[in-house]
Amino acid sequence: MNLRLTPEIADALRERSRASGVSQQEILRRAIERYLEIEARSASSYRASLIPPRRPFQESEEQLVLPIGVSSETLLDRDDRL
């Protein structure tokens, strides 16, 4: 994709990039996302799909001690999980 900018816009983009430390490409990507409302739509649909917890978060009083040779990765990497 090629994008032709007026000299004034190109200068402003370079200056904003230099001042912010954000690449010109990233500045343009963010502006296009805002213009097309891509970020807002995906965030609102994400929030709408969240299910509230049955119980609020609580610190655990007990600590799980795994047997020798068993790691949390081993527990998570199982075929019987959905």
Side-chain angles (χ1 to χ4, degrees), residues 6-35:
T6 64
E8 296 82 10
I9 293 174
D11 290 342
L13 180 60
R14 270 192 295 278
E15 180 57 32
R16 178 65 59 97
S17 175
R18 187 191 61 72
S20 66
V22 177
S23 72
Q24 293 179 35
Q25 183 176 4
E26 183 61 24
I27 291 170
L28 290 173
R29 186 180 300 114
R30 291 175 187 176
I32 292 168
E33 284 177 350
R34 275 195 309 273
Y35 181 78

Side-chain angles (χ1 to χ4, degrees), residues 36-73:
L36 298 176
E37 300 178 345
I38 291 172
E39 193 172 40
R41 271 189 302 202
S42 62
S44 64
S45 63
Y46 169 75
R47 279 190 215 95
S49 68
L50 293 178
I51 300 171
R54 286 181 255 164
R55 293 185 295 162
F57 175 78
Q58 295 178 345
E59 288 289 338
S60 175
E61 295 180 14
E62 292 183 40
Q63 294 227 345
L64 177 65
V65 179
L66 298 175
I68 295 174
V70 176
S71 68
S72 56
E73 182 180 8

